[in-house]
Every structure is written in C-alpha cells, then in structure tokens.
Amino acid sequence: MSQSDSESFGMGNLPEALGVSEAFLDFQQRLSAVAKIDRPVLLIGERGTGKELAAARLHFLSQRWQGPLVALNCAALSESVLESELFGHEAGAFTGAVKRREGRFEAADGGTLFLDEIGLVSMTVQEKILRAVEYGVFQRVGGSSSVKVNARIVGATNADLSEMSRGGKFKSDLLDRLSFDVIYLPPLRARREDVEYLALHFASGMARELEMASVPEFSAGALESLQAYDWPGNVRELKNVIERSVYRSGGGKIRKIEFDPFVNPYADEDVSRKADKGEEVEEADLSQPLHAQVKALELRLLRKALMESGYKQQDAANRLGLTYYQFRALYRKYKDEL
C-alpha cells in the first residue's frame, strides 16, 4: 500500500451518513460535540457502520478542519511496514529505503490522524504510538533524531480494548490516552427507522448510475423483509443489497430481496441427485443429542424459508408445509435466535 492509497480519503467513497432515527441523531450529536474538543477519540463500531465517515465528520467539525486528514488501516500491514508507514524512515534504514520518507504522523501534522483497526496494532508499535501521543515526538525508523508533530488521533475498532488491556494485549497507558471519549456507532438493527429511508436513497443513486427512467419501487413484502433482516454488515451491506436489487430489477418493481448472493441455486438439486442414487446425503451425527439437532434443523429451515419468501410469513409457512398458525408458533419459539 502506497502512502497516497490511504493517507487521505474522500467523502464520496464512504457509506452515507443519513438517518432520521433517534439512535442515529443522538450519535451525530455526540460526534459534533466532541469534535470541538482537541483530544483523542475512540470510535467503536461493527463493520459497515461508517467509522471512516465518523472520523471525517470529527475532523471537519474541529478547529483542525483546514489541516490534513490522514488515514491508515492498521489491519492491512505487517508490524515492520506499519511502523514505517506511521513514523517514516531514514535512508538506508532497511533494504530498499533509498531515501528519507515521511510517515503518517508527519503528514497529519496540524490535522487529524485516523487509525482504523487500532486494536490489531502490535505492542511494539503501540509503545511508539504512546510516545507520539504523550509527548508529540517520535523517531523515524533507522533514525536517532526526534521529530515533533501536532496531530489529533482518532482510533477506530470493533474490538473490546478494555478486555484486551486487562489481558495484556493492549497497553493500558495508550488506552487511557486515546479514550478521552469513546463513542459507539449504532448498528443498523438499532436504527430500524432508517432502513427504508436509506434503501430509497441507495436505490435512487443506483437508478441514476444505470440511467433508468425512474427509480424502481419496492413492494410491501420487500420492504417488510428489509425491516425484518438484522443487517450484520450494517449500512455497507444494505447498500450492496439494494444496489443489487435495483440492477436485477431491470427497472421493474422490486418484489423479492436477495440478501445472500452466495446462495447456490443448484444445492437442492445436488442433494436430490444423491438421494435418487441411494447415496448418503449427510452422515448421522451422534455427538449431539437429538433435541439439539432437531432445534438446529428447525432453525436452518426457518431461516431458509423466510429468506426465500422475502420474509413474508404466510409464504414461508407454505414453503414449510405448515399452516400460518403453526408457522407463527415455530417463529415465536425461535424469534430471539433468528
């Protein structure tokens, strides 16, 4: 990864910060308040919740908004490369270092340094980050002179840094310095009111990209399935699902949502073919009690029926060969685990 690849990022490449839910608006309010305080901030959130965009908002609402916004994904680099990317290196520091190179700390001087996936940084590099944050000085790799910087640090992670600190996997002193305030990004399942709002926004954008005459409409069943889904990939996943639905619609009404593009349409045929040949489809597993295996089977079939029916419960009941009331009893039984 070259320095130009990730040292700055544009707003257009990030998940949109849009919403009307109370959880989303409360989060934006907290973000705006802490932006004006020139201290390190930790952003905690699941994948796809928009941690990069939150960091950008922190920067542009701060007193440093005219300075550089520099970003680095710490998960993508080995320890030695990460150290060089953060602090730079002197000529001759290692094979291939033909000239001095500034690191991200120097590039962010007077601005903001966003360290994504900071929980994956090694203890050795954490020690150098601590010194840079604590004293505003560091040494380049292979160098002996001190370099002074003035950069605000914004870290992001989905890891439990407090637990890592207690287990000796994250420096307690660094955690103390980085956590002037800790802001949790709400997952999409906590902001259900925003799902339809965002879906229409993403559908409109995709329709424009495909030069469609109009934005495809969602059926009531499709909207119901969007609301019922838990969105483990959050806003990023929602955007992919909606854009794929618009592109596959051909401009017509969207009646069914495909959440998992990796569902093999020929899987059932393979099972049927094996059964017709008298082959054993699945080896019996006696390591688990019968009731646990029955529960796992019911959950698997329930999830599959819901997904294939676009989360329309009557349709799902028909697919399972159940009456609506039988289906509702089964659904209530496993509702918390779906």
Side-chain angles (χ1 to χ4, degrees):
M1 180 185 297
S2 67
Q3 186 163 344
S4 60
D5 287 337
S6 63
E7 75 173 17
S8 61
F9 47 86
M11 305 289 278
N13 296 324
L14 301 169
E16 282 81 347
L18 299 172
V20 294
S21 66
E22 184 175 349
F24 177 78
L25 296 177
D26 285 347
F27 161 70
Q28 291 293 328
Q29 187 175 19
R30 284 201 63 190
L31 206 61
S32 299
V34 78
K36 299 175 176 62
I37 312 299
D38 197 20
R39 296 289 189 280
V41 175
L42 277 177
L43 301 172
I44 312 292
E46 300 173 7
R47 64 184 177 90
T49 49
K51 295 187 287 293
E52 302 95 335
L53 189 57
R57 182 175 176 83
L58 277 172
H59 173 74
F60 289 113
L61 290 179
S62 74
Q63 297 177 356
R64 296 172 176 263
W65 66 274
Q66 289 182 308
L69 171 59
V70 178
L72 181 65
N73 186 338
C74 301
L77 306 171
S78 65
E79 178 181 305
S80 59
V81 175
L82 177 59
E83 185 176 3
S84 178
E85 286 292 322
L86 283 171
F87 306 106
H89 59 253
E90 298 288 353
F94 49 83
T95 303
V98 295
K99 61 180 181 180
R100 173 187 287 177
R101 181 173 182 270
E102 290 186 353
R104 305 303 168 89
F105 266 97
E106 285 179 88
D109 190 29
T112 302
L113 176 59
F114 173 55
L115 299 179
D116 199 5
E117 301 293 354
I118 196 170
L120 299 178
V121 175
S122 71
M123 296 292 281
T124 300
V125 177
Q126 284 180 40
E127 182 65 45
K128 292 197 70 172
I129 293 176
L130 173 61
R131 179 173 173 79
V133 174
E134 186 80 34
Y135 303 108
V137 296
F138 63 89
Q139 293 178 343
R140 299 188 188 94
V141 176
S144 56
S145 59
S146 295
V147 179
K148 296 190 68 173
V149 291
N150 176 15
R152 182 189 195 182
I153 307 299
V154 176
T157 184
N158 188 28
D160 187 339
L161 296 185
S162 295
E163 182 62 31
M164 290 178 64
S165 177
R166 287 190 290 270
K169 296 180 180 179
F170 199 89
K171 291 187 69 64
S172 299
D173 290 347
L174 179 58
L175 184 59
D176 290 341
R177 291 292 295 138
L178 293 177
S179 57
F180 170 79
D181 201 358
V182 179
I183 299 182
Y184 286 82
L185 285 79
L188 193 54
R189 62 182 176 275
R191 30 184 301 217
R192 297 283 181 185
E193 304 97 312
D194 294 333
V195 172
E196 182 176 347
Y197 181 77
L198 286 166
L200 296 175
H201 170 73
F202 293 138
S204 177
M206 191 62 177
R208 285 197 304 272
E209 182 179 334
L210 297 176
E211 298 182 347
M212 292 180 170
S214 61
V215 180
E217 295 183 4
F218 292 89
S219 69
L223 289 175
E224 181 182 342
S225 68
L226 291 174
Q227 289 289 352
Y229 189 60
D230 269 345
W231 300 109
N234 293 291
V235 178
R236 186 180 293 119
E237 182 184 12
L238 173 64
K239 184 175 184 180
N240 285 338
V241 167
I242 297 303
E243 290 183 343
R244 182 167 59 245
S245 298
V246 171
Y247 131 73
R248 290 183 176 179
S249 74
K253 195 168 191 176
I254 299 172
R255 302 184 181 279
K256 182 179 178 181
I257 303 296
E258 182 182 279
F259 295 95
D260 184 3
F262 292 98
V263 173
N264 182 355
Y266 309 108
D268 291 340
E269 292 181 12
D270 293 340
V271 172
S272 299
R273 187 168 60 252
K274 287 183 178 181
D276 291 341
K277 291 180 179 180
E279 298 178 15
E280 185 174 359
V281 175
E282 185 175 345
E283 186 177 349
D285 179 11
L286 299 180
S287 65
Q288 298 291 326
L290 178 62
H291 70 85
Q293 297 197 54
V294 170
K295 176 182 177 180
L297 176 61
E298 288 181 334
L299 272 168
R300 186 163 65 249
L301 292 174
L302 190 56
R303 290 189 181 107
K304 183 176 177 63
L306 283 167
M307 184 170 290
E308 290 186 353
S309 66
Y311 285 80
K312 291 181 285 189
Q313 295 190 6
Q314 182 62 67
D315 191 3
N318 294 339
R319 289 170 183 266
L320 293 171
L322 302 175
T323 67
Y324 179 74
Y325 297 104
Q326 288 173 327
F327 175 85
R328 286 295 301 169
L330 187 65
Y331 180 83
R332 284 194 296 270
K333 180 180 178 181
Y334 295 122
K335 183 177 181 181
D336 293 338
E337 299 179 63
L338 289 173

